[in-house]
C-alpha cells in the first residue's frame, strides 16, 4: 500500500510507525489496535498522510479527548502561529519549568548594531540567547542560513555587557529552537560553533517533544474541546499552557463558555496533564 507524504513522495504504509505514534497519545494497546484495524480497512493506494492523521485523530477522540489532544500535539504547536509570537512565550515557559530565569522580547545593543531578542535565559550564572524558528507547516526545515545568521548576531552581542538580569551581563551561550527540524548542514555548522539546537525530535532525550511530555507542559491549543476562536482568545489572555487553564478556569467564562462546556474542557485538560499517572 502506497501513501503520499506531505512532501509529495510516495512511500509504503508503515503500520508499526503509525502504531508507535498512536501509543504516544497515551491510549491503551487495545484501543490503538482497534484504531489501526479501522484505518487499515479504510486506506487505499494514494491516500495522503494528512488523511490518515485526520482519521486516526477522529478515532482517538472517540476513545478519549485527552488521547486525541496528545496525538494532536505537533499540530497544536503550529497553532501558536502564524507569526510565532506565542511560540516564543511557550518556549520560555519550558525553560522556566527547568529552573531558568527568562526574559523575552528585549532589544539589546551589540558592538555594532541593536538586536531584538526572542528569549534570554539564565541558570547557574550562564546567560543564553534563545532564538525561535517557528514553522506553520510540517514540511519546512531550518536550513544552514539560520544558524549562520544567528551566529553573526551572537558574535556581535557577546562583545559587550548588557542590562538583562543585572546591569552587567555577558551572553555566553547560543540556542536555536524550532518546532520542526534542522537540515544536515545546519546541524553540522552549529556543531562547529557550539550552537545548541533543539528541534521536535532532537536531541533524543532533550527534544522539544520530550521536554513537553516530561513536565506535562502541553500547549492549550491541543485541547479538542475548544474551538479555534476560543483558543485565540485564550492566547491573548496569556493562557498558553493547559496547566495555566486548569489554574485559572474562570477565564473560560470570561470568553463566553458555558459552565457545562467548561466542565468538559477542564476534564480533558486534567486527563491530559495526568496521562502518565
Amino acid at each position: 500500500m502506497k501513501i503520499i507524504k506531505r512532501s509529495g513522495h510516495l512511500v509504503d504504509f508503515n503500520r508499526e510507525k503509525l502504531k508507535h505514534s498512536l501509543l504516544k497519545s497515551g491510549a491503551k494497546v487495545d484501543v490503538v489496535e482497534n484504531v489501526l484495524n479501522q484505518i487499515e480497512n479504510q486506506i487505499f493506494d494514494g491516500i495522503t498522510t494528512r488523511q490518515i492523521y485526520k482519521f486516526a485523530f477522529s478515532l482517538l477522540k472517540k476513545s478519549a479527548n485527552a488521547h486525541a489532544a496528545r496525538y494532536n500535539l505537533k499540530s497544536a504547536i503550529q497553532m501558536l502561529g502564524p507569526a510565532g509570537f506565542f511560540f516564543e512565550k511557550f518556549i520560555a515557559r519550558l525553560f522556566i519549568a527547568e529552573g531558568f530565569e527568562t526574559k523575552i522580547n528585549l532589544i539589546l545593543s551589540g558592538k555594532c548594531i541593536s538586536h531584538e531578542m526572542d528569549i534570554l535565559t539564565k541558570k547557574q550564572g550562564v546567560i543564553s540567547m534563545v532564538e525561535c524558528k517557528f514553522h506553520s507547516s510540517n514540511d519546512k526545515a531550518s536550513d544552514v542560513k539560520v544558524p549562520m545568521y544567528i551566529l553573526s548576531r551572537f558574535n556581535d552581542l557577546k562583545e559587550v555587557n548588557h542590562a538583562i538580569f543585572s546591569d552587567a551581563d555577558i551572553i555566553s551561550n547560543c540556542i536555536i529552537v524550532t518546532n520542526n527540524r534542522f537540515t544536515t548542514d545546519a546541524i553540522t555548522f552549529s556543531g562547529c560553533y557550539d550552537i545548541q539546537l533543539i528541534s521536535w525530535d532532537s536531541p533524543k532525550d532533550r527534544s522539544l517533544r520530550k521536554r513537553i511530555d516530561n513536565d506535562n507542559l502541553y500547549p492549550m491549543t491541543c485541547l479538542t474541546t475548544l474551538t479555534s476562536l476560543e483558543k485565540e482568545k485564550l492566547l491573548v489572555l496569556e493562557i498558553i499552557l493547559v496547566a495555566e487553564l486548569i489554574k485559572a478556569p474562570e477565564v473560560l467564562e470570561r470568553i463566553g463558555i458555558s459552565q457545562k462546556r467548561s466542565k468538559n474542557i477542564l476534564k480533558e485538560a486534567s486527563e491530559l496533564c495526568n496521562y502518565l499517572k
Side-chain angles (χ1 to χ4, degrees):
M1 184 74 68
K2 297 289 186 180
I3 63 174
I4 303 174
K5 296 180 67 175
R6 289 177 183 269
S7 62
H9 294 124
L10 272 175
V11 296
D12 291 324
F13 172 68
N14 190 324
R15 189 182 197 275
E16 286 305 309
K17 185 176 180 180
L18 179 57
K19 181 179 180 178
H20 182 65
S21 67
L22 289 168
L23 286 171
K24 281 186 176 180
S25 73
K28 294 181 179 179
V29 174
D30 60 334
V31 172
V32 168
E33 286 295 335
N34 182 48
V35 170
L36 283 169
N37 290 336
Q38 291 191 64
I39 289 173
E40 287 181 316
N41 288 332
Q42 295 289 330
I43 61 174
F44 51 88
D45 268 323
I47 192 172
T48 65
T49 53
R50 182 175 179 81
Q51 287 173 300
I52 293 173
Y53 165 80
K54 289 178 70 175
F55 191 29
F57 176 79
S58 66
L59 291 171
L60 280 175
K61 191 173 180 181
K62 292 177 182 178
S63 166
N65 287 328
H67 295 158
R70 191 160 179 265
Y71 185 67
N72 193 43
L73 182 55
K74 191 168 187 180
S75 295
I77 299 292
Q78 292 172 350
M79 293 179 203
L80 296 173
F85 176 65
F86 292 115
F87 178 65
E88 294 167 13
K89 292 190 173 187
F90 173 70
I91 296 302
R93 281 157 166 78
L94 264 61
F95 278 100
I96 291 169
E98 295 177 352
F100 289 83
E101 295 179 66
T102 66
K103 299 283 186 179
I104 63 172
N105 302 124
L106 295 183
I107 296 177
L108 301 180
S109 295
K111 182 179 179 181
C112 302
I113 62 172
S114 294
H115 304 268
E116 185 174 350
M117 312 303 297
D118 291 343
I119 307 169
L120 291 147
T121 68
K122 181 180 180 180
K123 189 175 184 180
Q124 298 177 341
V126 177
I127 296 174
S128 303
M129 60 177 281
V130 182
E131 291 295 295
C132 299
K133 303 311 296 182
F134 175 81
H135 298 290
S136 57
S137 173
N138 283 334
D139 58 356
K140 295 287 185 180
S142 295
D143 63 22
V144 70
K145 292 190 293 293
V146 172
M148 289 176 70
Y149 167 65
I150 292 173
L151 177 64
S152 66
R153 300 181 67 206
F154 173 63
N155 287 336
D156 191 43
L157 287 161
K158 72 178 183 180
E159 296 289 328
V160 296
N161 291 348
H162 305 281
I164 307 171
F165 301 97
S166 71
D167 291 331
D169 289 329
I170 296 292
I171 299 173
S172 58
N173 194 35
C174 182
I175 303 170
I176 309 174
V177 184
T178 183
N179 59 314
N180 276 3
R181 62 181 181 86
F182 293 97
T183 64
T184 301
D185 282 349
I187 294 169
T188 302
F189 181 89
S190 298
C192 284
Y193 290 96
D194 294 323
I195 299 172
Q196 182 183 347
L197 300 181
I198 301 172
S199 67
W200 177 248
D201 55 9
S202 181
K204 185 177 180 181
D205 296 323
R206 301 296 296 152
S207 66
L208 183 56
R209 173 151 199 163
K210 282 281 187 181
R211 290 177 181 209
I212 293 170
D213 280 340
N214 287 346
D215 294 310
N216 285 349
L217 297 174
Y218 299 104
M220 169 276 303
T221 46
C222 69
L223 294 175
T224 66
T225 44
L226 287 167
T227 67
S228 296
L229 180 58
E230 289 164 350
K231 291 172 184 178
E232 290 175 12
K233 290 179 179 179
L234 289 171
L235 288 173
V236 170
L237 294 174
E238 292 291 315
I239 302 296
I240 310 293
L241 302 176
V242 172
E244 292 170 342
L245 182 60
I246 294 172
K247 291 177 182 177
E250 66 277 2
V251 298
L252 294 174
E253 181 180 0
R254 185 175 169 184
I255 65 170
I257 295 177
S258 67
Q259 286 189 353
K260 182 178 180 181
R261 282 198 61 221
S262 292
K263 287 181 180 179
N264 290 332
I265 293 165
L266 293 171
K267 180 176 182 290
E268 179 187 12
S270 297
E271 288 176 351
L272 177 61
C273 285
N274 293 307
Y275 87 95
L276 287 174
K277 298 179 181 178

